[in-house]
Amino acid sequence: EDDNCKFVLGILFAPRTVTNTVRYLQNVYQADAAHLQFGKYTFYSAYGSTANSNASPVAFAILFGNEDKSNWTRFWTFTKKLHPQLDQKEITIITEQKRFIRGSIVSCTKR
Protein backbone atom coordinates (compact mmCIF):
# COMPACT_ATOMS: atom_id res chain seq x y z
CA GLU A 1 0.00 0.00 0.00
CA ASP A 2 3.02 2.25 0.40
CA ASP A 3 4.22 3.85 -2.86
CA ASN A 4 7.83 3.44 -1.71
CA CYS A 5 7.42 -0.31 -1.16
CA LYS A 6 8.40 -2.44 -4.15
CA PHE A 7 7.86 -6.14 -4.69
CA VAL A 8 10.18 -8.20 -6.91
CA LEU A 9 8.25 -10.59 -9.14
CA GLY A 10 11.38 -12.26 -10.42
CA ILE A 11 14.74 -12.06 -12.07
CA LEU A 12 15.89 -13.68 -15.31
CA PHE A 13 19.59 -14.04 -16.02
CA ALA A 14 22.29 -15.87 -17.93
CA PRO A 15 26.06 -15.90 -17.49
CA ARG A 16 27.72 -13.49 -19.91
CA THR A 17 29.73 -16.27 -21.55
CA VAL A 18 26.66 -18.22 -22.72
CA THR A 19 25.99 -15.74 -25.51
CA ASN A 20 29.05 -17.10 -27.28
CA THR A 21 28.86 -20.75 -26.22
CA VAL A 22 25.21 -21.74 -26.79
CA ARG A 23 25.60 -21.82 -30.57
CA TYR A 24 28.28 -24.53 -30.20
CA LEU A 25 26.19 -26.82 -27.97
CA GLN A 26 24.46 -30.00 -29.12
CA ASN A 27 20.84 -29.86 -30.33
CA VAL A 28 19.40 -31.26 -27.07
CA TYR A 29 18.58 -28.97 -24.14
CA GLN A 30 17.21 -29.72 -20.67
CA ALA A 31 14.91 -27.53 -18.61
CA ASP A 32 13.49 -27.89 -15.13
CA ALA A 33 12.06 -25.89 -12.24
CA ALA A 34 12.36 -26.25 -8.47
CA HIS A 35 10.60 -24.54 -5.60
CA LEU A 36 12.88 -22.44 -3.41
CA GLN A 37 13.01 -22.49 0.37
CA PHE A 38 12.27 -18.78 0.75
CA GLY A 39 9.02 -17.09 -0.14
CA LYS A 40 6.92 -18.39 -2.99
CA TYR A 41 9.62 -18.28 -5.63
CA THR A 42 10.51 -20.95 -8.20
CA PHE A 43 13.94 -21.44 -9.79
CA TYR A 44 13.94 -22.19 -13.55
CA SER A 45 16.97 -23.46 -15.44
CA ALA A 46 17.98 -24.57 -18.92
CA TYR A 47 21.17 -26.39 -19.87
CA GLY A 48 22.70 -27.65 -23.08
CA SER A 49 25.29 -30.36 -23.70
CA THR A 50 28.81 -29.76 -24.93
CA ALA A 51 30.59 -32.04 -27.39
CA ASN A 52 32.14 -33.75 -24.33
CA SER A 53 28.68 -34.39 -22.81
CA ASN A 54 29.14 -31.79 -20.07
CA ALA A 55 26.21 -29.62 -19.00
CA SER A 56 26.56 -25.99 -20.05
CA PRO A 57 24.28 -23.22 -18.71
CA VAL A 58 21.84 -21.50 -21.05
CA ALA A 59 19.55 -19.38 -18.83
CA PHE A 60 18.13 -19.13 -15.31
CA ALA A 61 15.24 -17.40 -13.60
CA ILE A 62 13.84 -16.92 -10.13
CA LEU A 63 10.17 -16.06 -10.54
CA PHE A 64 7.44 -15.41 -8.00
CA GLY A 65 4.73 -18.04 -7.80
CA ASN A 66 4.39 -21.70 -8.54
CA GLU A 67 5.61 -23.50 -11.62
CA ASP A 68 2.92 -22.68 -14.17
CA LYS A 69 2.44 -21.83 -17.85
CA SER A 70 2.72 -18.09 -17.26
CA ASN A 71 6.14 -18.33 -15.59
CA TRP A 72 7.42 -20.94 -18.06
CA THR A 73 6.32 -18.66 -20.93
CA ARG A 74 8.15 -15.75 -19.30
CA PHE A 75 11.27 -17.94 -18.94
CA TRP A 76 11.18 -19.29 -22.54
CA THR A 77 10.48 -15.84 -24.01
CA PHE A 78 13.59 -14.52 -22.25
CA THR A 79 15.69 -17.56 -23.17
CA LYS A 80 14.73 -17.54 -26.86
CA LYS A 81 15.26 -13.79 -27.11
CA LEU A 82 18.75 -14.28 -25.70
CA HIS A 83 19.40 -17.39 -27.84
CA PRO A 84 17.27 -17.27 -31.04
CA GLN A 85 18.91 -20.48 -32.28
CA LEU A 86 16.80 -22.42 -29.73
CA ASP A 87 13.81 -21.81 -32.00
CA GLN A 88 15.14 -23.99 -34.83
CA LYS A 89 13.32 -27.19 -35.80
CA GLU A 90 16.44 -29.30 -35.12
CA ILE A 91 16.43 -28.38 -31.42
CA THR A 92 15.03 -30.83 -28.86
CA ILE A 93 14.09 -29.61 -25.39
CA ILE A 94 13.72 -32.21 -22.65
CA THR A 95 11.49 -31.34 -19.68
CA GLU A 96 9.30 -33.14 -17.20
CA GLN A 97 5.88 -34.26 -18.43
CA LYS A 98 3.76 -31.26 -17.43
CA ARG A 99 1.44 -30.13 -20.24
CA PHE A 100 1.86 -26.41 -19.65
CA ILE A 101 5.64 -26.57 -20.17
CA ARG A 102 5.23 -27.73 -23.78
CA GLY A 103 2.54 -25.11 -24.30
CA SER A 104 4.82 -22.40 -22.95
CA ILE A 105 7.64 -23.39 -25.31
CA VAL A 106 5.30 -23.46 -28.31
CA SER A 107 3.55 -20.19 -27.36
CA CYS A 108 6.77 -18.19 -27.57
CA THR A 109 8.10 -19.70 -30.82
CA LYS A 110 8.11 -17.91 -34.13
CA ARG A 111 7.21 -21.02 -36.16
Side-chain angles (χ1 to χ4, degrees):
E1 296 178 18
D2 183 355
D3 289 337
N4 294 322
C5 182
K6 296 196 185 326
F7 183 77
V8 176
L9 293 176
I11 181 170
L12 298 109
F13 58 97
R16 185 175 185 177
T17 57
V18 301
T19 306
N20 295 322
T21 58
V22 167
R23 64 178 159 228
Y24 298 113
L25 298 177
Q26 304 297 312
N27 287 341
V28 177
Y29 294 82
Q30 305 164 42
D32 200 3
H35 299 283
L36 297 176
Q37 292 285 336
F38 61 93
K40 294 192 180 259
Y41 289 90
T42 304
F43 177 73
Y44 296 80
S45 62
Y47 291 89
S49 297
T50 66
N52 295 328
S53 298
N54 295 320
S56 183
V58 173
F60 304 100
I62 297 172
L63 299 172
F64 182 77
N66 290 323
E67 181 181 3
D68 59 13
K69 184 175 180 178
S70 174
N71 277 341
W72 271 111
T73 301
R74 187 174 290 121
F75 176 72
W76 284 116
T77 301
F78 167 78
T79 303
K80 289 182 176 186
K81 182 177 180 182
L82 189 63
H83 310 294
Q85 61 270 32
L86 294 180
D87 216 12
Q88 298 173 0
K89 291 181 181 179
E90 300 82 22
I91 300 298
T92 300
I93 299 172
I94 300 171
T95 66
E96 55 192 327
Q97 295 290 327
K98 292 183 180 167
R99 289 184 195 186
F100 56 78
I101 298 174
R102 182 170 189 252
S104 68
I105 295 169
V106 171
S107 69
C108 61
T109 59
K110 300 173 198 166
R111 291 183 248 171

